[in-house]
Amino acid sequence: YLFNIDNNAFTDLKNSLGAIYIVRDPRNVVTSWSKFANVSIQKAADTLIKTTQFGGNLNVKEGSERSMVHMGTWNGNFQSWKSFKYQDRYLLIKYEDLIKDKEKTFRNALIFIKNLSNGSFEVSDSKITKVIQEIEFEKLKKLEEKEGFPEASKIKSGKKIPFFRKGLSGQWKKNLDLKIINSIEKSCGKEMKELGYL
């Protein structure tokens, strides 16, 4: 979330070159978050539309829970980062485009970085293809199974919940009931329309 903490900017244009903001349909975020955090769909939906920070439990001796992450709500987070847009230092990427058109989306990100940083690197189609082949979802999933992944969550039994689970879009149509869909669309409707999700 791009905001001020005790009148100190989280970041600004003096110490950030720009922002690449990856957004995902909040209805899919809810299904994904529910699995990742091992919580009910209702709790995941409440987190998305009402919660502004995660973590910060200093009673935990180690791990990510000790660090507080100020996320904001889904729509608040999306709106906050658009301040970079008005400085021409903002690239919006939809998660769904990463699935649908990987090459074009990755190329756009590289061109954005190159232009923003006055970079001298070459944006090569053959390198883009090679990188995408190396990080295909199924490869990452198998790599996690073999070597683990530090971002994966643990349930109370100590068993890890896979981080690379499905990586699809549109799963909300099968997993969300109408009440939850309506609450998300009511809370995030303005931004969802702007992004073409509604």
Side-chain angles (χ1 to χ4, degrees):
Y1 187 57
L2 183 60
F3 74 129
N4 290 341
I5 306 171
D6 297 329
N7 293 320
N8 297 301
F10 170 70
T11 191
D12 57 33
L13 292 170
K14 291 176 193 160
N15 58 29
S16 293
L17 201 54
I20 297 176
Y21 190 87
I22 301 175
V23 68
R24 188 177 188 188
D25 185 323
R27 297 165 296 192
N28 274 328
V29 172
V30 163
T31 61
S32 183
W33 180 258
S34 170
K35 296 291 184 191
F36 174 76
N38 195 32
V39 297
S40 70
I41 294 275
Q42 183 64 60
K43 178 148 171 105
D46 288 344
T47 299
L48 179 105
I49 59 180
K50 297 176 185 173
T51 303
T52 59
Q53 63 191 40
F54 299 92
N57 182 356
L58 297 177
N59 294 321
V60 177
K61 293 199 187 277
E62 59 184 44
S64 61
E65 273 302 301
R66 285 183 58 84
S67 300
M68 185 175 289
V69 179
H70 295 274
M71 294 292 296
T73 58
W74 178 89
N75 51 332
N77 190 297
F78 169 68
Q79 291 291 358
S80 76
W81 284 96
K82 287 196 320 189
S83 61
F84 279 80
K85 179 180 182 179
Y86 307 113
Q87 304 295 327
D88 230 8
R89 297 186 187 194
Y90 174 86
L91 177 66
L92 175 71
I93 293 177
K94 289 170 72 174
Y95 178 88
E96 295 77 11
D97 291 336
L98 287 169
I99 295 169
K100 196 169 40 179
D101 197 344
K102 296 174 183 74
E103 286 85 1
K104 180 181 175 186
T105 306
F106 188 33
R107 185 180 300 103
N108 288 345
L110 290 173
I111 291 168
F112 174 76
I113 292 166
K114 182 176 180 174
N115 292 340
L116 203 59
S117 64
N118 296 315
S120 59
F121 63 88
E122 175 192 356
V123 178
S124 157
D125 287 346
S126 62
K127 287 181 182 176
I128 288 171
T129 301
K130 185 176 180 183
V131 168
I132 288 171
Q133 288 170 350
E134 288 301 312
I135 60 166
E136 279 294 338
F137 192 85
E138 287 305 315
K139 281 190 178 183
L140 295 175
K141 192 171 180 174
K142 285 178 184 167
L143 188 63
E144 180 184 9
E145 288 168 9
K146 182 180 170 189
E147 298 183 19
F149 189 74
E151 294 290 323
S153 298
K154 285 183 186 173
I155 53 178
K156 286 182 182 175
S157 67
K159 182 183 173 192
K160 288 233 176 185
I161 300 168
F163 185 84
F164 296 98
R165 207 173 52 82
K166 291 192 176 181
L168 302 172
S169 64
Q171 294 294 296
W172 63 271
K173 294 172 188 171
K174 294 190 293 187
N175 298 321
L176 297 183
D177 66 37
L178 194 55
K179 180 183 166 200
I180 291 175
I181 292 169
N182 288 340
S183 70
I184 294 168
E185 291 177 357
K186 181 179 178 185
S187 176
C188 306
K190 178 183 170 213
E191 292 77 15
M192 290 175 76
K193 284 176 186 164
E194 180 181 339
L195 291 160
Y197 291 137
L198 286 180

